[in-house]
Amino acid sequence: MSRPRVVVAGLGDSGVLTAIHLAPHADVVGISSKPGLVSGQELGLRISRPDAWARDYRIPFGRFRKLDGIRTVHGTLTGTDLGDRTVTVVDANGTERVERFDALIISTGVRNGFWRHPELQSEADVDAELRSAHARFAAAETIAVIGGGAAAVSAAANLAQTWPGKQVDLYHPGERALPQHHPRTWATVLARLRRLGVGVHGGHRAVVPDGFACDEITPGPVNFSTGQPPVEADAVLWAIGRVRPNTEWLPREVLDPSGFVRVTAELRVPGAEFVYAIGDVAATDDLRSSARNRADRLLAHNIRSDLTGRPGRARRYAPPRRRWGSVLGVQADGLQVFAPNGRPFRFPAWSVDTILQPWIVRRGIYGGIRKR
């Protein structure tokens, strides 16, 4: 009896993990516009210490032991026929190809600034992008970070940590930053930002220039709609959470009004049999939290249940009320992680490279990653 074919559309963090869980049970085809995992996590580390970031967040697919049994297609998704169960891909050579599926997982993520985009890239392209962003901030004496989410806060902290001689300022629109986290989280992070010398300016809502997609590093000035005078900076990082889902290749009927993929609590797409979505592209809840809460294992279980004719065994995804986890990433004193109630706990610095990354992440979560 032939095994079912599962197409994973998008091999970011969620797509890779779901593919790993399904590989022993199905013929998995992964489609990615990148030549390997290029994570959208840890923006602050990515722009301030790109080599350290790449060690853990940029990993060629061939290094994942649990992906050995899957076939990867390096290309751009251009369409799908859900009735015929096919997707259309233009591969890296410009050749159009059609991939058949018995089950389709939509995990194509979102656009968000210069660090998360769906454009087809080679290894050289990714290298150049990392070097260019890092060089821009390295050359700047004054940096303005615009936004109040975790990406903006992490960027401000890591830039100030890496270059203590630079003036780094964070401008966020609300009374406090990290509004989707527990207030305790922001209180702890704010104290650290101040110790690092970051200027923190609440109540500053930046005016986005007409036609600007917030996808590049710009010079100042930055204007504000909240009455403050403009500010100048050599480099402005726009991290205002203006996310756009990568769903142009999908039929409109499976999308919500904002273009995200509609899903049930089981991560099934309503009205499309054997079609599922996970990660930032899936409209699970207001926070679209399935990527950050390890729903990959739940989804793999549900797909296996559906393909074997046991849909009643499906599990339901229950989103958290608040964001939680790391905010600033690994620092000199270790990794601080916040619980949903805002209380922090810390992995000491010595444990990050000896226990957390090699054993918990690479071995436990990913099932083994080969050395370079």
Side-chain angles (χ1 to χ4, degrees):
M1 183 177 178
S2 63
R3 303 203 313 169
R5 176 178 291 185
V6 178
V7 167
V8 182
L11 287 176
D13 297 290
S14 295
V16 165
L17 286 167
T18 309
I20 284 172
H21 299 317
L22 287 170
H25 313 283
D27 291 332
V28 178
V29 179
I31 300 170
S32 175
S33 62
K34 313 303 179 194
L37 173 64
V38 181
S39 176
Q41 299 183 61
E42 304 296 355
L43 173 63
L45 183 62
R46 173 175 174 151
I47 58 178
S48 63
R49 290 176 287 152
D51 290 338
W53 176 86
R55 184 189 63 180
D56 296 324
Y57 297 100
R58 179 188 176 189
I59 306 171
F61 296 132
R63 289 181 56 200
F64 291 94
R65 295 184 185 276
K66 296 292 187 179
L67 291 184
D68 284 351
I70 85 163
R71 176 166 59 89
T72 58
V73 178
H74 184 201
T76 300
L77 288 150
T78 59
T80 182
D81 187 322
L82 299 181
D84 285 346
R85 296 188 184 176
T86 59
V87 297
T88 303
V89 188
V90 176
D91 67 20
N93 297 318
T95 302
E96 185 175 275
R97 56 197 297 171
V98 175
E99 296 286 346
R100 181 189 60 80
F101 63 81
D102 295 305
L104 171 65
I105 300 167
I106 302 165
S107 53
T108 42
V110 296
R111 297 170 176 82
N112 187 10
F114 64 85
W115 62 97
R116 298 180 74 186
H117 59 82
E119 279 73 24
L120 188 69
Q121 289 184 299
S122 65
E123 290 282 1
D125 294 332
V126 178
D127 285 339
E129 186 174 79
L130 289 172
R131 287 196 303 268
S132 174
H134 177 72
R136 184 69 184 274
F137 290 114
E141 292 300 319
T142 57
I143 299 171
V145 181
I146 312 299
V153 171
S154 170
N158 280 279
L159 290 167
Q161 177 75 47
T162 301
W163 292 295
K166 300 182 187 296
Q167 177 59 50
V168 179
D169 289 275
L170 173 68
Y171 298 90
H172 60 88
E175 180 180 347
R176 66 179 180 92
L178 302 181
Q180 296 172 336
H181 291 70
H182 194 283
R184 288 193 196 100
T185 301
W186 172 236
T188 302
V189 172
L190 175 60
R192 184 159 196 130
L193 290 171
R194 287 174 171 162
R195 289 196 299 272
L196 290 169
V198 175
V200 180
H201 311 274
H204 284 61
R205 185 172 294 279
V207 175
V208 180
D210 290 342
F212 179 50
C214 302
D215 56 358
E216 59 184 278
I217 303 163
T218 69
V222 179
N223 297 298
F224 300 97
S225 63
T226 38
Q228 299 88 355
V231 298
E232 289 286 350
D234 297 328
V236 179
L237 171 59
W238 297 84
I240 60 176
R242 208 173 251 200
V243 300
R244 294 171 292 154
N246 298 320
T247 53
E248 296 88 349
W249 59 284
L250 290 166
R252 186 70 212 178
E253 59 265 24
V254 303
L255 308 179
D256 71 8
S258 298
F260 295 90
V261 182
R262 294 183 293 110
V263 290
T264 67
E266 295 80 14
L267 303 183
R268 298 169 177 141
V269 176
E273 191 176 25
F274 297 110
V275 180
Y276 311 82
I278 190 172
D280 291 319
V281 76
T284 50
D285 59 288
D286 290 343
L287 302 181
R288 294 184 298 279
S289 61
S290 61
R292 286 165 291 280
N293 288 277
R294 294 303 314 277
D296 46 273
R297 192 177 292 277
L298 177 149
L299 176 56
H301 168 85
N302 290 352
I303 292 172
R304 291 178 59 196
S305 296
D306 289 350
L307 289 173
T308 54
R310 298 177 293 177
R313 296 191 178 186
R315 300 169 184 164
R316 297 170 64 86
Y317 174 67
R321 292 175 49 242
R322 290 190 173 101
R323 289 204 191 280
W324 65 282
S326 168
V327 174
L328 303 182
V330 177
Q331 302 294 297
D333 57 354
L335 177 68
Q336 190 173 48
V337 178
F338 294 90
N341 64 6
R343 299 195 184 279
F345 58 95
R346 185 183 303 280
F347 291 92
W350 64 266
S351 71
V352 173
D353 290 331
T354 59
I355 297 175
L356 179 63
Q357 281 296 339
W359 292 102
I360 297 177
V361 177
R362 295 175 195 152
R363 180 68 63 86
I365 294 177
Y366 288 112
I369 297 177
R370 298 179 179 91
K371 295 181 180 180
R372 295 180 186 277

